[in-house]
Structures are given as structure tokens and as C-alpha cells.
Amino acid sequence: MAENEKSVITGVIPKLVHCFLSGSLKFTLTPAEINELSWIGQEKLIKSTIHNPIFKKYPLRQDFCRLFIKKIIQYLEPYQEIHDDIFEFLCTQMKSKFDKDNLFYRHTIVNNDISNIITIKETNNMVVNGTTGMKTWEAAIILSDWILGNKELFHNKKVLELGSGVGFTGITLGKFCTPKSVMMTDCHIDVLKVLIENIAINFPKFEKKETSQCTCFRSEDKEIGVMMLDWNCIKDINDGQNPDIIIGADIVYDPSILQPLCNVLETFFKRNPNVQIYIASIIRNEETFSSFLNILGRINVAVEKHVPTECMYLKWDQEMPRCLLKINRN
Ligand SMILES: C[S@@+](CC[C@H](N)C(=O)[O-])C[C@H]1O[C@@H](n2cnc3c(N)ncnc32)[C@H](O)[C@@H]1O
């Protein structure tokens, strides 16, 4: 993300491009913004959204596209002539069938720079086949934003992610920072399959290798891996895994897995007492979160609580109660 390479655009177009690519309908348009969306303004919008090569290759959910375009038309129709391509696109979306497996793509622009995009295949559903891992959760974006603001901590480090889900955080770290390696893990086979697809999308030039332990994507100076790691089976944790840093987003939510999760942390502390752990959470249930802190209190660790306040490189929901835990061995 070198400053001189940034393709930052300003005004109503980037606002709508961001909403469209990230699958969000949370926007309103002011009269001045509607005015900006003249025929020429709409052409610019079309170029960066429905004619965007990324969108064409990795489409968003069709019902979202329909709603997004209808909302734009509703705003513009009383004041502007609607561009033909907008109507044409709406018609193609009306003819659509069901999205296969309810999976679609979402594109997140990093630091308002349209050349820095994370593409994630995921679902909107909170639980699919018994796992919460098929969608990107808010804590993943919060942790990623914090990582982007603290890149130096990760320079040349071996990072292991717990409960990676579809991979937003590990992919952000691997794509925009300089770790030596990122090992992304999860316990659900369907999640791991989508995670591997998402890595292939975001690191198209990396060479893919399968070993008995993991799927690895390598470049000259970086390695991104995917591995099955179930917190309930710590005996299975490969001896070769000795990370400098462990990260996890939205992994403190189910009371039944808090102790197994702590056992995993303890296992890695035994291997490397200097390992640094960063866990980001949305606090939906105070009791569950306190219970995790209590369990951590029983192992020999120092826990620092930090509440991220500002969106820096990524947009996330600032209304949600959140916390980033930094955990070190005492
Ligand atoms: C709420 S999702 C968070 C996913 C991702 N980190 C994010 O924030 O978008 C929780 C993740 O933890 C994983 N998980 C739950 N129990 C687990 C266990 N026992 N071992 C490993 N991963 C587990 C789930 O499969 C899921 O991917």
C-alpha cells in the first residue's frame, strides 16, 4: 500500500463503490450527491461496480445487487435520467436463479484504495452445517484493522490464526503485512475448503502445495497455510507449529469451547513462553466473555484489554461492544 500507488477516489462514487463491493445497503444520498450522479457520474459508478472486472469474476449475491440498484434508482429517478446500463443490469439480476449454496463474494476496499481489495467467498447465514465459520464476523474486520495499524509487530513473524473461518483476518495480514508465515486453522472441513479457495483468490501468484498436514501457498518470502486444528483435540497439534504470534477473531462465543480454547493457548505457551496472543471479540454476552477471562485467570498470563475506537483502514460497526485482548505469559 505505498502512498504513491494509491488509487484513492473521493466523493459519492467511492462511497457507493465501497457499499456495493462489500455488500452493504447502509447508505443514504444527499441532494448534492444525487446531483453528482449525472449521466457521467453514473458512468463512473457503473465502471467501478457492475463493470468492475473483480465483480464480474467474483459476483456478489444477486438479491443484494437487485436491492442495491433499486435503491439507487429510487434516489435518482426524480432528478436524473437513469443510465441504460443500470436498467440492463437490473434486468439481468431479475432473471437470476438461486445463488448456488448461498455462497457469494464480498469485496472489501482497504484504506479507501480501490487497488487494495480483499475478496472473500462467504454466506450471509450465521450458521451453516453447524458452523459459524462461513461468514466474516465484525471482530474479524476490527482485528484486521488493528493489525493494519500495527504492521511492524508482525514483520517476519510466524503467525497462527485460531478459528479462521473464511479467512478475512489471516488474508488481510498475509496480503498487506510482511509476516514470515500465516497458518490459518479451523475445525470444520467445509470452512477449510472455502478458506483454501479464498487464499487462492487473494494470492493468485503463490504456488500451492499439499502436504499431509496442511495446504500451503508459497511465494519467495511468505507462506500462507491452512490446517485443521480442533481445540478439543490438542494432542493433534502438530509439533512443528511454534508460532511467535497467535490471533483469533470472534472465537469467544460458545461457553463449551472456552476451556478447550485456553488449553490450546497453554499448549503454545509451553512451546514458546514469548508467544503474543491477540483475540478480538464482539461482546454479545458479558457472562461468556467474563467466563473466558476467569479461565484465563487460572493460567499464568497477563491480559490487557483494549477497546478499538476508530476505523483506520477498514470500515466496521462502531456501535458494537468490542474488545481486543492482548495475552502474554507472566
Ligand atoms: C464466529 S466464527 C469466527 C470466524 C472468523 N474468525 C471471523 O471472525 O470471521 C468462529 C470460528 O471458530 C471455529 N471453531 C469453533 N469451535 C472450534 C473448535 N473447537 N476448534 C477450532 N475452531 C473452532 C468455527 O468453525 C468458526 O470458524
Side-chain angles (χ1 to χ4, degrees), residues 38-273:
S38 59
W39 189 271
I40 292 175
Q42 289 173 54
E43 267 177 353
K44 287 185 195 156
L45 179 65
I46 290 164
K47 185 166 173 250
S48 301
T49 52
I50 59 186
H51 289 172
N52 185 329
I54 291 187
F55 167 71
K56 290 200 166 177
K57 192 164 176 192
Y58 302 116
L60 296 137
R61 248 177 51 213
Q62 285 172 321
D63 58 348
F64 162 78
C65 292
R66 268 198 300 271
L67 292 172
F68 184 91
I69 292 298
K70 279 186 178 171
K71 190 166 174 181
I72 296 279
I73 291 176
Q74 235 169 26
Y75 268 115
L76 298 192
E77 218 164 21
Y79 310 100
Q80 302 280 14
E81 190 181 347
I82 308 290
H83 199 289
D84 299 340
D85 288 9
I86 292 186
F87 277 129
E88 201 180 299
F89 177 71
L90 182 60
C91 291
T92 62
Q93 299 301 297
M94 304 292 259
K95 284 189 212 132
S96 65
K97 346 96 222 162
F98 279 119
D99 297 309
K100 192 170 154 258
D101 302 332
N102 271 334
L103 286 164
F104 55 90
Y105 298 91
R106 187 171 274 153
H107 312 277
T108 304
I109 300 172
V110 179
N111 201 16
N112 275 332
D113 181 348
I114 194 116
S115 63
N116 287 326
I117 285 191
I118 303 161
T119 296
I120 298 288
K121 183 177 184 178
E122 61 181 298
T123 164
N124 249 7
N125 301 339
M126 293 202 187
V127 182
V128 177
N129 283 347
T131 175
T132 52
M134 289 296 214
K135 81 186 271 301
T136 300
W137 294 81
E138 209 64 15
I141 307 175
I142 296 175
L143 181 57
S144 304
D145 199 19
W146 181 82
I147 288 172
L148 291 170
N150 291 277
K151 283 182 182 178
E152 65 293 344
L153 291 179
F154 297 87
H155 177 65
N156 216 18
K157 295 286 195 282
K158 289 179 283 170
V159 183
L160 182 126
E161 183 178 16
L162 296 172
S164 296
V166 284
F168 189 90
T169 308
I171 288 173
T172 306
L173 170 62
K175 207 164 172 172
F176 300 110
C177 307
T178 52
K180 188 173 186 176
S181 62
V182 185
M183 180 56 79
M184 301 166 75
T185 71
D186 209 281
C187 65
H188 199 287
I189 191 71
D190 294 346
V191 172
L192 292 174
K193 281 184 194 154
V194 178
L195 176 55
I196 290 170
E197 272 188 65
N198 282 334
I199 296 174
I201 292 169
N202 286 280
F203 300 90
K205 295 196 175 135
F206 282 39
E207 191 193 348
K208 183 179 173 189
K209 280 226 169 98
E210 303 273 354
T211 71
S212 56
Q213 309 278 359
C214 78
T215 303
C216 272
F217 292 80
R218 290 200 184 111
S219 73
E220 265 174 30
D221 55 356
K222 220 180 259 177
E223 188 172 297
I224 316 285
V226 173
M227 190 179 83
M228 165 76 82
L229 194 166
D230 186 337
W231 312 329
N232 288 303
C233 312
I234 41 174
K235 277 192 238 99
D236 297 347
I237 300 178
N238 171 355
D239 288 342
Q241 288 304 320
N242 194 358
D244 305 305
I245 300 179
I246 295 176
I247 57 171
D250 215 334
I251 52 176
V252 180
Y253 61 97
D254 173 358
S256 74
I257 41 107
L258 300 180
Q259 185 62 56
L261 176 57
C262 262
N263 297 342
V264 172
L265 303 184
E266 185 62 351
T267 302
F268 284 112
F269 273 126
K270 281 187 184 144
R271 289 183 189 179
N272 173 11

